[in-house]
Amino acid sequence: MKALILALLTAATSVAHAQTLDVFESHGNMHYAMVPTDKARDTQYMERMAYKFCQDQNKGSCRVMIWSDSLDKPTGNPFHTRYDENKLAEYMRNYGGIADGIRFNCKLVTTASRCYQQ
């Protein structure tokens, strides 16, 4: 019984640690990130993770562009325009440290109310 409880606690801890953005490339204060496919429609998750990532950066401005898990990740600055249509969201915090917030690609994240124009 103790082994089962320990296994459940270990599994819960590993899931809790997985609650982060996979930032795979940075260019100054601009960051490219992936979220797990099962979180690609979870607007609150993406906003929380981007906010936390920018808070941890401890810099003035922070911009996070978010895609769903993919083997074909955008690279370079600027990245190829083909990645714009697959981008799920973009989070920005200005130089004053104030969160400007997150905007979503509402063609892909149909549950979102804050959209950006493509």
Side-chain angles (χ1 to χ4, degrees):
M1 184 66 167
K2 287 181 183 180
L4 176 61
I5 292 171
L6 181 59
L8 290 173
L9 287 174
T10 302
T13 302
S14 66
V15 169
H17 288 301
Q19 301 291 311
T20 61
L21 284 176
D22 173 19
V23 176
F24 60 89
E25 188 166 330
S26 295
H27 299 279
N29 292 336
M30 182 172 36
H31 311 279
Y32 302 165
M34 293 282 178
V35 293
T37 304
D38 65 328
K39 298 294 187 183
R41 304 286 185 265
D42 189 337
T43 58
Q44 292 177 349
Y45 172 84
M46 286 187 272
E47 185 168 23
R48 265 193 329 269
M49 294 301 104
Y51 175 83
K52 181 178 179 347
F53 176 81
C54 284
Q55 288 296 102
D56 291 347
Q57 293 304 297
N58 200 19
K59 296 178 183 176
S61 66
C62 182
R63 181 176 176 188
V64 180
M65 289 178 269
I66 303 170
W67 288 267
S68 181
D69 279 337
S70 171
L71 297 176
D72 186 27
K73 296 178 179 179
T75 60
N77 183 21
F79 53 83
H80 193 278
T81 55
R82 77 173 191 250
Y83 295 106
D84 276 328
E85 62 190 43
N86 295 327
K87 184 171 50 172
L88 296 174
E90 189 167 330
Y91 176 88
M92 289 196 282
R93 184 181 74 191
N94 70 15
Y95 283 98
I98 299 168
D100 292 332
I102 194 165
R103 299 287 182 259
F104 297 94
N105 177 348
C106 289
K107 290 179 182 177
L108 298 177
V109 186
T110 57
T111 59
S113 59
R114 293 168 285 168
C115 305
Y116 62 82
Q117 297 294 330
Q118 291 220 22

